[in-house]
Amino acid sequence: MTTSAPAIRVTDLRKTYGAFAAVDGISFEIEPGETFALLGPNGAGKSTTVEILEGYRERSGGDVSVLGSDPRHATLEWKARIGIVLQQTGESGNVTVREQLTHFASLYPRPRDVDEVLAAVGLEQKAKTRIKSLSGGQRRRVDVALGVIGRPELLFLDEPTTGFDPEARRQFWELIRSLSREGTTIVLTTHYLDEAAQLSDRAAVIAAGRLIDIGPVDELGSTEARVPIVRWRDGQGGHERRTAEPARLVAELAAALGEPVDLEVIRPSLEDVYLELVASVEEVAA
């Protein structure tokens, strides 16, 4: 990590609606050039947090700095440094894809080339098509294109690949990696845990308005939650054992049983760890 000021600094962030705390004292920092995932179930507070960072929603308490400014006092110059891909947008359906991108590009001081962006989101063949005639997945690609056309320093991606087919998702991932290599700071919210694992340097898990874990993706959760699981079957039925040395256990099983039946070595994924974290909070709430 660099020693420069964080791209985003959040301290004791709170958002309340009457007695209900949608965001309850969250604190974290995101470094310049980092890809950071905010994860959590529906209603956890992550979308509210992101909307506060974007300047769309007022906070009830705490301090927030985004690219050195408080979003609640955002200027046009500050907004030009930020790209946003919302879950839903209200783009005009009566213009073509190229016309919409060209218009948005004209609003920024250093935009990306329109043809470059069209290629990156897989819309070259739809450049002259009116947006209202596109499929849902194609419209989502337009959303992403509009978010990156201004060459933002900081990019917010809220469920960006909803409606993408598997090939389109992989193409999008490569686009995000290329933006990251250029030094763009990226804040990602997604329900696709494999997407977060593929793209993120670090992740934070939010549940019930609170930050329950934060760190590099492969270090989230308890040590036990990340221990591999070995499964096999013998004459007495199925077996499962967690072990930090799965290769040794497999060797012991092979020596004792020959070729173990239905042998599996499972290394817990981000999804496994995430589900355990969220479940622990839900158990406490219950």
Side-chain angles (χ1 to χ4, degrees), residues 223-230 240-245 249 266 268 272 276:
T223 301
E224 180 181 352
R226 299 194 303 273
V227 173
I229 300 170
V230 177
E240 177 178 301
R241 187 185 305 173
R242 282 187 179 271
T243 174
E245 298 180 311
L249 177 55
I266 302 169
D272 297 324
E276 181 173 301

Side-chain angles (χ1 to χ4, degrees), residues 25-238:
I26 289 175
S27 299
F28 60 88
E29 294 183 354
I30 301 175
E31 297 296 332
E34 185 175 24
T35 298
F36 186 89
L38 273 175
L39 308 176
N42 291 331
K46 61 184 186 301
S47 292
T48 299
T49 299
V50 170
E51 288 172 359
I52 291 170
L53 299 180
E54 294 168 340
Y56 282 128
R57 191 179 296 273
E58 284 285 329
R59 62 187 183 270
S60 302
D63 294 315
V64 177
S65 174
V66 178
L67 297 182
S69 298
D70 186 334
R72 67 172 22 149
H73 304 305
T75 63
L76 287 177
E77 180 182 6
W78 180 85
K79 291 178 180 179
R81 300 167 64 193
I82 289 175
I84 299 174
V85 178
L86 300 173
Q87 286 193 42
Q88 296 179 337
T89 57
E91 75 277 347
S92 172
N94 291 319
V95 299
T96 68
V97 174
R98 180 181 292 281
E99 288 170 342
Q100 186 78 327
L101 280 177
T102 300
H103 170 67
F104 268 70
S106 70
L107 303 177
Y108 294 93
R110 197 171 57 92
R112 292 182 178 278
D113 179 76
V114 170
D115 288 320
E116 171 193 327
V117 174
L118 285 169
V121 298
L123 288 174
E124 305 104 309
Q125 303 303 315
K126 298 293 183 179
K128 297 181 180 180
T129 303
R130 294 189 184 277
I131 293 174
K132 66 181 180 181
S133 300
L134 298 176
S135 68
Q138 290 166 343
R139 288 193 182 203
R140 192 59 182 152
R141 297 190 196 193
V142 174
D143 294 342
V144 173
L146 296 177
V148 303
I149 191 71
R151 205 184 297 272
E153 295 175 43
L154 171 61
L155 178 62
F156 291 97
L157 298 172
D158 194 359
E159 304 292 342
T161 59
T162 299
F164 279 31
D165 59 41
E167 181 181 1
R169 285 185 71 209
R170 297 286 175 161
Q171 291 173 347
F172 171 78
W173 290 359
E174 187 50 44
L175 170 62
I176 297 308
R177 292 186 183 107
S178 69
L179 293 173
S180 180
R181 288 192 293 268
E182 292 175 7
T184 306
T185 305
I186 299 168
V187 179
L188 170 69
T189 62
T190 179
H191 283 106
Y192 297 123
L193 278 300
D194 61 329
E195 186 163 271
Q198 285 284 335
L199 299 177
S200 304
D201 300 306
R202 289 192 303 141
V205 180
I206 298 174
R210 293 180 176 273
L211 184 66
I212 59 175
D213 204 359
I214 185 170
V217 170
D218 58 358
E219 295 180 14
L220 288 175
S222 66
T223 301
E224 180 181 352
R226 299 194 303 273
V227 173
I229 300 170
V230 177
R231 291 175 180 161
W232 73 97
R233 183 176 297 278
D234 59 19
Q236 297 180 348

